[in-house]
Each structure stands twice: as C-alpha cells, then as structure tokens.
Amino acid sequence: MALSAEKFAADASVGYFDGQRERFAQAIINGDGESAEQVTDELVAAQQALGDIYLKVITPALESVGELWCRAEISIGEEKLATQIVIGQMDRLRAHFTPSVRPVLYRVMVACIEGDQHFIGARMTADLCGERGWNVDFLGSDVPNHALVEMVHRRHPQVLALSLTMAQGVEHVGWLVGELEKSAPEVRVIIGGRALGENSSLGNLSQRCEIAKDIITGVASIGRLLRADRPKSVLKEYQMVLAHRVRDLRTKRGWTQEHLADLAKVTRACVIAVEGGKQNVSMDILVRMANALEVAPETLLSVEG
Ligand code: B12
C-alpha cells in the first residue's frame, strides 16, 4: 500500500521529520517491523527528543493508518498489526529514555476514559512524564470510572491525566471530574485526546480542569501543576535530584563514572555515592561536577524539565 506524497509534502515545517515519518508510516502499513525499528533507531542515534519522535513521526504515521482504514484501503487486521508494531517501538523508546533514578516525589496517573480502547496517546503522555523522572501510574485503556476513582484514593497522584478519543466519553469525564472534586479535591485533572477538538460540550469542563491540545503542551502543563503542588523541599529530595541530573548528563555524554571522576577530580566512590543519591555533597564537589559536565551548578539541583 503506497502513501500519497502530497500528504507528507503538506507540512514542510517539520523539515527533518518528513522523510522519517513517511518511512515509518510506510513500514507500519506494510507490517514491516524491522523497517520501523530502523527508523526509530536512526531517530535515537540522531538524538531526537522523545516528544518529537512521538508527535512528529509516530502520531502522523498512525493518522495515515486511520485514513487508509477509513477508505477501506487497508483491512482491520492490517491496522491492528500497524498498531502493535508502534506499541513495540514505543516500548523500546521508553526503555531508552526512562532515567534509572527517579528524583522527585511527584506522582502522575494516566488513564483512558471508560469505554475507550485508544491508549497510545495516553501511553505517550505517560512516557514523557517518566522521562522527566516523575513517578507514573499508567492504567491503560478503558478504565472503569469507579476503578479510576478508587486508584486515585489509593495512590494519591498529584495530577490525573485523562485521554479521550471517542466523543461518547465526555459524559464519563464530567462524572469523574465531579466525583474527584468531592472526594479528592487536591488532585489536579488534565485531559487530552482527539475527541477534545471536536467537542463543544467540554466548554463547561474547561473551567474545572485543564485541557491539553497535544502531548508536549500537555506534559508542560502537568509539570506546572506538579510544581504548584510542590511540598517544602527536603534534603533527601535534592540529593535525588542531583543523583538524577549527574547520572543523566554523564550517560548522555557516554562517560563512565571513572571518566567523570577524573574530569571532576574526585574519587570514583564519590561519583557512585552522588549518583546513588546518598551523598550530602559539599559546594566544592557540586561545583567540580558541574564544571566537568559543563553545566551551571544550579542545573544539577533543578527539578525543571
Ligand atoms: C489504532 C486505532 C484503533 C485501535 C486502538 C489500539 C490502541 N491500543 O490504542 C483499535 C483497533 C482498538 C481501534 C478501535 C476503534 N476505533 Co480507532 N483508531 C485508531 C487510529 C488508527 C490510531 C489512533 C492512535 O493511536 N493515534 C495516535 C495517537 C498518538 O493519537 P491521539 O490518540 O490523537 O493522541 C494525540 C493527541 O490527541 C494527544 N493526546 C491523546 N491523549 C492524551 C492525553 C493527555 C493527557 C494529553 C496531554 C494528550 C493526549 O496526544 C497525542 C499526540 O499529540 C485512529 C486514527 C487517527 N487518526 O488517530 C482511529 C480512530 C481514533 N478510531 C476510530 C474509531 C471510529 C474506532 C472504532 C469505533 C472502530 C470500530 N468501528 O470498531 C473502535 C472504537 C474502540 C473504542 N471503544 O475505543 C475513529 C474515531 C472517530 C471519532 N472521533 O469518533 C478514528 C479517528 C479513525 C477514523 N478516522 O475514523 N482504533
């Protein structure tokens, strides 16, 4: 099944991504997992951001699948195969982008509305939250309203992010927001998903919860809501932030702990302790690490981004 060239020529603003999303779309439509994997590997090797890979390559590729399916040019089975290839590639990307240290005591819960099977947008949202080092409870597709409320009470997320693809789910969102206002008013709710663009009955809801147009702006809003909820900082939390930052910057540069220790003129044991979140470091060590990593010292203590 060939894709029309015009579809991809239409949006020149994303430049580099045009070719990659065309190849990715073609691969998933052909049921060719190996070619899809090759594209994701290239995007990772080119150090593209996870949000860009999701928004500029995978999302439009799935939209193409939807269009072909609507025109009966591919079968339901082919659509399902394409979706499974995408889910497989997202699993690989998540493993690559998820930091090994989770620094912040934030928790985000991500779920699809009752009756909604479309979980990829929600999974993308969860992955971008995870990439930022926040703790994420991803509940997946079709989460019954009562089960979701019960999980909020059980797990105490600061933010609940909901995904709504099918317009019928708007009623469920209304019920959930009302219920949480009564039983867990401290929880902030944000909603994203395809149905929002089409639905005017959300007007009333938008005063009671946030509405996000895509994953990147949505996750930025989640970050803002989390920081607004920020409890008074504790030493342990800063140690974990430092651990996360140092490890993340070091591995992004492809350095071993020994190499960082050499550059910062500290012992390897010191690097291990810092990256383990165990070391209550002196200003001297903080500045040495920052200089070695070529960032400002405050970057190593920042929970932003
Ligand atoms: C794959 C797919 C399926 C798969 C879902 C598999 C899965 N595990 O997710 C299956 C086969 C199960 C399926 C079933 C159906 N589907 Co379907 N499906 C699709 C398809 C091809 C891709 C969806 C997708 O994953 N897109 C990629 C994601 C990333 O895009 P997204 O969900 O829009 O998310 C983006 C934003 O909306 C946002 N976002 C989403 N959620 C959230 C949440 C937060 C918090 C934030 C911040 C942002 C955010 O971020 C994402 C990127 O920016 C679309 C076509 C399309 N154009 O999207 C149709 C589509 C969504 N399906 C459609 C339909 C009609 C159905 C069925 C009714 C078909 C049928 N007759 O059985 C059923 C309904 C099942 C149900 N009850 O939910 C219609 C929906 C039309 C509508 N609005 O009513 C579409 C648009 C196809 C079409 N053109 O008609 N589908």
Side-chain angles (χ1 to χ4, degrees):
M1 173 61 55
L3 286 165
S4 65
E6 312 85 79
K7 168 156 177 51
F8 293 102
D11 182 4
S13 62
V14 286
Y16 165 84
F17 291 99
D18 288 353
Q20 300 295 43
R21 70 180 176 180
E22 183 170 5
R23 286 174 59 215
F24 190 82
Q26 199 70 69
I28 63 172
I29 288 161
N30 291 340
D32 179 356
E34 271 178 34
S35 297
E37 185 164 320
Q38 209 179 333
V39 176
T40 32
D41 285 349
E42 284 174 22
L43 289 159
V44 169
Q47 302 199 330
Q48 297 302 333
L50 182 61
D52 283 340
I53 299 175
Y54 279 173
L55 199 58
K56 296 177 183 172
V57 177
I58 296 185
T59 301
L62 275 166
E63 279 166 4
S64 305
V65 169
E67 281 165 28
L68 292 172
W69 173 73
C70 263
R71 298 203 302 263
E73 290 180 36
I74 60 169
S75 66
I76 292 177
E78 285 174 304
E79 185 208 346
K80 284 188 171 286
L81 178 56
T83 306
Q84 287 308 319
I85 293 173
V86 166
I87 292 168
Q89 291 312 306
M90 288 175 64
D91 288 344
R92 296 177 69 240
L93 287 164
R94 186 179 324 118
H96 179 80
F97 282 95
T98 303
S100 51
V101 182
R102 301 210 157 269
V104 190
L105 307 170
Y106 295 143
R107 181 169 300 280
V108 181
M109 186 171 281
V110 186
C112 297
I113 294 298
E114 181 169 322
D116 208 320
Q117 297 294 339
H118 302 88
F119 74 70
I120 294 177
R123 179 73 263 181
M124 288 179 173
T125 306
D127 290 355
L128 291 183
C129 290
E131 188 200 14
R132 278 153 184 74
W134 307 331
N135 296 295
V136 186
D137 289 333
F138 176 64
L139 304 192
S141 63
D142 183 15
V143 183
N145 291 340
H146 286 97
L148 185 52
V149 170
E150 189 249 349
M151 282 304 272
V152 167
H153 293 160
R154 202 183 274 268
R155 308 273 300 174
H156 306 292
Q158 285 99 346
V159 177
L160 172 64
L162 298 170
S163 179
L164 179 67
T165 299
M166 306 301 291
Q168 301 90 296
V170 168
E171 278 178 28
H172 294 306
V173 177
W175 183 86
L176 281 166
V177 170
E179 185 60 31
L180 291 172
E181 273 171 352
K182 283 184 269 163
S183 64
E186 69 288 358
V187 177
R188 303 278 157 244
V189 181
I190 181 161
I191 315 172
R194 196 184 164 85
L196 301 180
E198 307 157 6
N199 215 296
S200 53
S201 56
L202 279 164
N204 169 29
L205 268 180
S206 63
Q207 286 140 32
R208 299 155 71 197
C209 57
E210 294 218 13
I211 293 186
K213 79 172 168 48
D214 63 49
I215 38 173
I216 292 181
T217 53
V219 172
S221 300
I222 293 172
R224 183 174 37 72
L225 293 171
L226 288 172
R227 285 188 289 278
D229 190 70
R230 195 168 157 69
K232 208 160 178 239
S233 300
V234 290
L235 177 64
K236 182 69 192 157
E237 190 185 337
Y238 273 112
Q239 287 178 204
M240 292 307 285
V241 171
L242 179 67
H244 167 72
R245 285 275 173 249
V246 170
R247 190 182 175 85
D248 189 45
L249 290 166
R250 176 180 65 74
T251 51
K252 275 188 182 141
R253 286 158 176 68
W255 296 351
T256 61
Q257 290 176 323
E258 260 153 347
H259 186 61
L260 174 59
D262 284 349
L263 290 175
K265 299 191 177 51
V266 298
T267 62
R268 181 162 170 259
C270 174
V271 174
I272 292 171
V274 168
E275 289 192 1
K278 298 191 181 81
Q279 181 103 329
N280 181 4
V281 296
S282 66
M283 281 285 271
D284 177 43
I285 289 183
L286 180 74
V287 171
R288 283 170 193 237
M289 294 260 182
N291 287 344
L293 291 160
E294 294 182 338
V295 295
E298 58 267 31
T299 307
L300 297 182
L301 292 175
S302 168
V303 293
E304 308 271 323

